[in-house]
Amino acid sequence: MPYSESAVRQVLGKAHGAVPVPVTVFDDETPAVANLSPALLGALRRAAIAAAADGVEFFVNGGWRSPEYQEQLLHAAIARYGSEQEAARWVATPGTSAHVSGDAVDIGRSEARAWLSEHGAAYGLCQIYRNEPWHFELRPEAVEHGCPPMYADPSHDPRMRR
């Protein structure tokens, strides 16, 4: 039976990390935000305060996820793209996903993503995948050295081959 991402959100809900409606990075009641790694969340909030001075507000579309939620997203991607290989370009397994460990956040609204693309390195926040302009992870070394080159998509990320 094919899964849709919205159906997965409804079945597993907020407790598993679903974000049915985008929330701010300051929402401590939503597990997708509250369960992010403290270092990532701190950098994200510092960046959000600076972005607000430029009139830009950050919204989280996805953050921490339970392994069960990640597994269901993977099944939905396989159904959508027709194979595990194609799905791997968009969704990691629960064992490799930076979302499951709380080390990745998906930022909504194009102006917020644009702001992070331009200023995020100063906070250690980097876009990791060229095909996912919403996906950011903490790279503390970026503060001094800039963000590392992006992978084309998650299937090119060596961390996904564990």
Side-chain angles (χ1 to χ4, degrees):
M1 169 178 134
Y3 296 93
S4 74
E5 191 173 330
S6 62
V8 171
R9 275 192 211 116
Q10 291 172 356
V11 170
L12 292 176
K14 281 177 65 173
H16 283 272
V19 183
V21 176
V23 296
T24 76
V25 299
F26 299 100
D27 184 335
D28 289 326
E29 301 301 313
T30 300
V33 174
N35 292 340
L36 289 172
S37 77
L40 173 59
L41 187 55
L44 195 57
R45 287 177 171 174
R46 286 189 300 278
I49 291 167
D54 291 337
V56 176
E57 190 171 8
F58 289 4
F59 286 93
V60 174
N61 290 336
W64 168 86
R65 298 177 187 144
S66 72
E68 296 82 9
Y69 183 31
Q70 189 68 28
E71 183 72 28
Q72 292 304 309
L73 290 174
L74 180 58
H75 287 298
I78 293 168
R80 178 177 182 179
Y81 298 108
S83 72
E84 288 183 26
Q85 184 176 357
E86 278 302 303
R89 295 184 61 232
W90 301 98
V91 180
T93 65
T96 61
S97 174
H99 285 285
V100 172
S101 62
D103 294 318
V105 65
D106 294 341
I107 297 295
R109 296 195 179 162
S110 59
E111 62 272 11
R113 293 191 299 265
W115 192 96
L116 272 176
S117 292
E118 185 176 343
H119 304 285
Y123 302 89
L125 298 168
C126 297
Q127 182 185 342
I128 303 301
Y129 306 118
R130 229 178 341 281
N131 73 326
E132 295 186 6
W134 54 83
H135 180 99
F136 289 85
E137 297 180 22
L138 183 63
R139 296 289 185 269
E141 67 279 4
V143 173
E144 290 186 27
H145 304 290
C147 290
M150 285 184 257
Y151 298 108
D153 61 55
S155 70
H156 292 89
D157 186 341
R159 299 175 301 166
M160 300 300 122
R161 297 184 190 119
R162 288 190 250 161

